[in-house]
Amino acid sequence: MVTPLEVHHVNGVGWYEEAVQPQGIWRLSLVTYGKCVYWVNGDKQIMEKGELLLIPGGTPYYGKSIPTVTHTQFVILLRQNETAELPALEQREPLRHKPGCYELIHQRMKSIQQQWEERPSYYVMMSQALLMEVLIYINRELDRGIIPPERHRYVERMKRYIEQHYREKVTKEELGDEIGKSPNYAASLFKTVTNQTISEYVHDQRMKRALYLLTESQLSIQEIAEFLGYRDLSYFYRIFKRLMGSPPSDLLHERPPIV
C-alpha cells in the first residue's frame, strides 16, 4: 500500500521549488497545462502537459515556472508502506513518462487533491486507493513498453475527433477513417494506449461538460442531457452517478444566483 503525505496543486507563473527528496518518500507530479522546467540530479527536464515525473527519495531537484508561461500541475508526496510490487517504486532513477491514459490519471489525482482539501470521512483510505490506482496505471504502461510516437499521434488525432464530436455517437469506423486505418485497429489502439474504450472516453468528455453546465448554467438537467446527446434522462443519471459518484441534482445548489 502507498500513502499520500502531501498533496497540492501548482497554478501560476511564479512557482519555484528546490529540495532533496527525503529518503523513502517519492514525489509524483503531473503537468496538466502549459510547461515547466525541472532539474533532477543536474539533468534538465522541460515538462509539458500530459507528462509525469516520479522522483525517488534521496534525489536532489529543483523546479520552476518558465518565464511568462502559465502552467498547472498536481504534486503528491507519497510513502510506500510495504512491498507493493510496483517496479516504478523500486528504481533509483527518476522516471519521466507520458502516459497514454493521461485522462484517467488526471481524474484520479484531481480526486486525491479534492479528498485532501475537503477531508471527508475515510479520506486517507480513499486517497490511498486512488493513488494505488494511479501507480498501477503507470506500471502497466511501463510493463507494456514504450509506445511508438506515431501511435501516440494516432490516438491524439482520435481524441481530438471525439472532443469535436462528443455530442454525437462516435464509432470506430469514423475514428478509423480519421487516422487512415481499419476500424478494429483504431478501436484496439485507442484501448491499448488510453486504457479506455471509445465509448468510455466519449462519456468522460460528456461528463466534463455536464459538470460545467450543471454548476454554471441555468439549463435544466433534462436540457443538459439532451444537449450532450442523451435522449434517455434516466440513462444520463446512471452514467453521471457512476462516473461522478453522485447524481447530477446534487450539483444544482452550486449554481450562481440569477441576477
Side-chain angles (χ1 to χ4, degrees):
M1 181 59 70
V2 290
T3 299
L5 304 175
E6 181 181 327
V7 182
H8 62 273
H9 187 233
V10 175
N11 186 352
V13 295
W15 169 72
Y16 178 85
E17 185 176 323
E18 182 174 8
V20 176
Q21 193 57 34
Q23 289 290 347
I25 307 298
W26 292 77
R27 185 184 187 280
L28 173 63
S29 65
L30 178 72
V31 178
T32 56
Y33 180 81
K35 298 180 182 180
C36 64
V37 61
Y38 277 88
W39 279 262
V40 186
N41 276 336
D43 293 332
K44 184 178 181 180
Q45 309 271 2
I46 298 179
M47 304 290 296
E48 300 185 356
K49 175 186 175 181
E51 293 186 308
L52 60 82
L53 183 63
L54 186 59
I55 302 175
T59 304
Y61 73 91
Y62 79 88
K64 67 176 184 178
S65 299
I66 297 173
T68 74
V69 177
T70 298
H71 91 281
T72 59
Q73 61 176 307
F74 287 107
V75 177
I76 300 177
L77 299 186
L78 62 100
R79 179 179 62 229
Q80 188 174 11
N81 300 331
E82 57 189 52
T83 302
E85 298 184 354
L86 295 170
L89 297 183
E90 295 174 0
Q91 59 185 17
R92 297 179 181 272
E93 296 299 320
L95 170 67
R96 179 181 179 180
H97 179 58
K98 184 175 182 177
C101 59
Y102 162 76
E103 285 80 8
L104 291 179
I105 291 176
H106 183 188
Q107 290 170 2
R108 301 319 185 260
M109 292 185 72
K110 182 177 181 180
S111 295
I112 293 170
Q113 195 238 353
Q114 290 173 339
Q115 290 287 318
W116 219 251
E117 282 189 351
E118 298 171 7
R119 297 180 180 260
S121 301
Y122 312 109
Y123 79 95
V124 173
M125 294 177 66
M126 177 62 78
S127 298
Q128 287 176 322
L130 290 165
L131 180 56
M132 195 66 181
E133 193 174 356
V134 167
L135 292 168
I136 288 172
Y137 284 138
I138 294 171
N139 279 273
R140 281 179 175 172
E141 292 201 3
L142 296 176
D143 291 345
R144 181 186 61 203
I146 300 297
I147 296 173
E150 181 183 49
R151 294 186 181 180
H152 264 299
R153 288 194 291 270
Y154 285 149
V155 172
E156 290 304 314
R157 284 174 59 185
M158 288 190 281
K159 285 181 180 179
R160 287 196 297 271
Y161 183 90
I162 292 172
E163 288 161 8
Q164 294 167 359
H165 300 85
Y166 67 91
R167 295 171 57 196
E168 308 163 13
K169 181 179 179 180
V170 179
T171 67
K172 62 182 181 181
E173 286 77 15
E174 292 171 329
L175 295 183
D177 289 342
E178 178 68 15
I179 64 173
K181 299 290 183 179
S182 71
N184 288 341
Y185 177 88
S188 176
L189 178 62
F190 194 89
K191 172 66 174 178
T192 298
V193 173
T194 67
N195 207 41
Q196 290 182 288
T197 64
I198 295 168
S199 177
E200 288 169 342
Y201 192 84
V202 170
H203 285 309
D204 274 353
Q205 294 303 307
R206 290 178 174 183
M207 292 306 107
K208 288 179 183 178
R209 277 70 176 187
L211 282 172
Y212 176 80
L213 292 171
L214 285 165
T215 56
E216 300 298 328
S217 79
Q218 296 300 325
L219 296 174
S220 69
I221 296 176
Q222 175 78 51
E223 291 170 330
I224 291 171
E226 291 177 355
F227 175 78
L228 294 174
Y230 296 102
R231 297 181 180 179
D232 183 342
L233 182 60
S234 63
Y235 182 58
F236 171 71
Y237 261 84
R238 289 199 302 274
I239 295 293
F240 189 95
K241 187 172 183 179
R242 175 166 61 84
L243 296 180
M244 301 294 118
S246 61
S249 53
D250 284 3
L251 296 179
L252 296 181
H253 71 279
E254 298 183 19
R255 290 184 165 185
I258 300 175
V259 178

